[in-house]
């Protein structure tokens, strides 16, 4: 399948650069697959499309302040480091810029020596493995020195770092936010729960592979980066009960979807599980775990638009995206939302 089948024209001015002051004030496009209907709403209207007995599944990962600016210990040359994931204790896989200046043994100093990274491994595409040394607790040191790693298409500064976290974020470990969840407020979630809809949580730590473009012409040749996921015993039992009693599993975001589909693929039912997934979902894949999806509007030719196409059909999704451009919906991380039922 040619990746160009997932292309569409996106004017640059539709890429949202800043979040709305009110999270739930974003727009909501609703796609009804059975009726092939598209309707336009506000995100705060989401309650009317959920039914008692349904279950919203949220990814509770929390974004690390994973972008660090330091200097080489020997020359003072400036280096940018982006944490990807922790391998072992104080050893991390990272991206560095400029990569050619960071060789084996290079030491990078941050915050007048509060944190030091030594390069202990070379990887492709600017990747390095580093070992950190510091005093105290790593996450506290990182909070004092690091910046939020906003996606590359966002050029504006974000004064309130919490605006790139969901209101339910709690498990530290992501290099990017599960952005479909940014639309929820605590008050909206309480209203949804009071209406008889269940709320469930899982964790998938989002890697920068989520922004990696598909560089091959043939979709089937693309390889996803692996990301760590975790589903608790209690949540697995909750989801299994919802399925067995006829409720719908509504996944919030592509990260929740990939986690649930991985577990159903590997266990054939919802089970307590954790591990690494590189599942790549695209047509004609048939989703087995989820009945609906809340998501944002994604990049042309991205793995994310392919995933939503597996749920709603490529033609219907592209029709919806063309409509979104016509109606000037806001795209990407700080943009508007889509509900597919």
């Amino acid at each position: 399948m040619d990746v160009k089948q997932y292309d569409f024209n996106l004017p640059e001015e539709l890429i949202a650069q800043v979040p709305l002051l009110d999270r739930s004030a974003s727009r909501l496009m609703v796609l009804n697959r059975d009726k092939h209907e598209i309707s336009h709403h506000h995100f705060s209207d989401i309650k009317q499309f959920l039914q008692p007995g349904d279950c919203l599944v949220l990814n509770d990962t929390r974004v690390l302040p994973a972008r660090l600016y330091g200097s080489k210990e020997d020359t003072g040359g400036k280096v940018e480091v982006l944490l990807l994931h922790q391998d072992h204790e104080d050893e991390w896989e990272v991206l560095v810029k400029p990569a050619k200046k960071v060789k084996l043994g290079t030491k990078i100093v941050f915050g007048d020596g509060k944190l030091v990274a030594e390069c202990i491994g070379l990887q492709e595409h600017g990747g390095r493995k580093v070992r950190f040394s510091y005093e105290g607790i790593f996450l506290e040191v990182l909070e004092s020195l690091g910046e939020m790693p906003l996606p590359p298409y966002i050029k504006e500064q974000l004064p309130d770092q919490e605006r790139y976290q969901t209101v339910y974020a709690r498990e530290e470990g992501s290099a990017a936010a599960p952005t479909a969840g940014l639309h929820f407020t605590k008050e909206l979630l309480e209203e949804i729960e009071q209406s008889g809809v269940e709320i469930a949580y899982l964790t998938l730590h989002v890697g920068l592979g989520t922004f990696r473009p598909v560089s091959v012409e043939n979709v089937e040749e693309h390889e996803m980066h692996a990301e760590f996921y975790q589903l608790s015993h209690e949540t697995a039992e909750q989801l299994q009960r919802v399925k067995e009693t006829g409720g719908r599993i509504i996944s919030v975001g592509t990260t929740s979807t990939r986690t649930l589909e991985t577990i159903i693929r590997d266990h054939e039912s919802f089970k307590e599980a954790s591990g690494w997934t590189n599942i790549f979902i695209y047509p004609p894949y048939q989703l087995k775990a989820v009945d609906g999806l809340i998501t944002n509007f994604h990049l042309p030719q991205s793995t994310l638009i392919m995933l939503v196409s597996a749920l709603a059909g490529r033609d219907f999704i592209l029709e919806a995206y063309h409509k979104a451009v016509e109606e000037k919906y806001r795209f990407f991380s700080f943009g508007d939302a889509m509900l597919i039922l």
Side-chain angles (χ1 to χ4, degrees), residues 4 6-10 298-301 305 318 321-322 325 331-332:
K4 291 186 177 63
Y6 295 92
D7 198 14
F8 63 94
N9 180 50
L10 177 64
H298 306 296
L299 282 151
Q301 299 186 32
I305 193 172
L318 289 178
Y321 270 59
H322 289 311
V325 170
F331 276 67
F332 305 161

Side-chain angles (χ1 to χ4, degrees), residues 69-332:
Y69 295 96
S71 55
K72 292 176 64 177
E73 187 180 60
D74 54 354
T75 66
K78 302 301 182 186
V79 180
E80 178 184 333
V81 174
L82 185 63
L83 306 187
L84 296 182
H85 65 79
Q86 189 175 18
D87 274 349
H88 176 69
E89 295 183 354
D90 293 322
E91 296 179 4
W92 285 74
E93 287 191 21
V94 302
L95 286 176
V96 297
K97 288 195 303 189
K100 62 183 179 182
K101 293 187 177 180
V102 178
K103 302 178 175 16
L104 280 175
T106 297
K107 289 188 176 181
I108 307 165
V109 180
F110 309 93
D112 297 323
K114 285 176 68 176
L115 182 67
V116 177
E118 179 182 359
C119 179
I120 60 172
L122 306 179
Q123 297 171 321
E124 55 187 28
H125 305 305
R128 296 291 185 270
K129 181 177 277 194
V130 302
R131 183 186 296 116
F132 286 108
S133 56
Y134 52 91
E135 289 187 5
I137 299 170
F138 180 73
L139 284 177
E140 291 181 358
V141 174
L142 191 62
E143 288 282 353
S144 70
L145 297 175
E147 292 184 4
M148 200 62 72
L150 293 178
Y153 44 74
I154 292 179
K155 312 301 181 189
E156 298 288 331
Q157 292 294 313
L158 184 63
D160 179 7
Q161 301 287 296
E162 282 299 305
R163 200 53 187 81
Y164 192 58
Q165 305 277 16
T166 63
V167 296
Y168 46 83
R170 57 191 177 196
E171 299 293 336
E172 300 267 9
S174 271
T179 53
L182 294 178
H183 304 283
F184 288 98
T185 62
K186 289 181 179 178
E187 294 76 17
L188 181 56
L189 285 171
E190 287 172 6
E191 291 173 20
I192 289 170
E193 206 161 13
Q194 288 166 4
S195 73
V197 175
E198 295 193 36
I199 308 288
Y201 296 94
L202 53 74
T203 304
L204 181 135
H205 292 318
V206 188
L208 284 189
T210 191
F211 302 126
R212 191 164 68 103
V214 178
S215 56
V216 294
E217 291 183 8
N218 187 0
V219 169
E220 290 88 343
E221 294 174 5
H222 178 74
E223 291 186 14
M224 297 286 286
H225 281 193
E227 296 167 314
F228 182 79
Y229 71 90
Q230 196 160 19
L231 184 75
S232 70
H233 174 73
E234 293 75 19
T235 301
E237 285 196 333
Q238 179 186 9
L239 294 174
Q240 198 61 32
R241 176 174 42 77
V242 168
K243 273 287 193 187
E244 290 169 357
T245 54
R248 297 178 300 176
I249 304 291
I250 311 296
S251 179
V252 178
T254 57
T255 60
S256 298
T257 303
R258 293 178 65 242
T259 302
L260 295 175
E261 291 298 325
T262 295
I263 291 167
I264 289 292
R265 179 197 66 186
D266 295 346
H267 304 283
E268 298 184 353
S269 63
F270 293 114
K271 300 281 188 184
E272 177 182 4
S274 65
W276 295 84
T277 181
N278 63 350
I279 190 170
F280 182 17
I281 296 173
Y282 58 91
Y285 182 98
Q286 295 290 314
L287 281 84
K288 303 175 183 67
V290 307
D291 304 295
L293 170 64
I294 298 169
T295 186
N296 282 17
F297 290 89
H298 306 296
L299 282 151
Q301 299 186 32
S302 65
T303 60
L304 303 177
I305 193 172
M306 294 172 194
L307 185 152
V308 296
S309 295
L311 180 61
R314 184 186 69 92
D315 291 345
F316 193 23
I317 286 294
L318 289 178
E319 177 186 339
Y321 270 59
H322 289 311
K323 180 66 70 175
V325 170
E326 283 178 17
E327 299 288 335
K328 298 195 182 324
Y329 275 71
R330 301 163 76 244
F331 276 67
F332 305 161

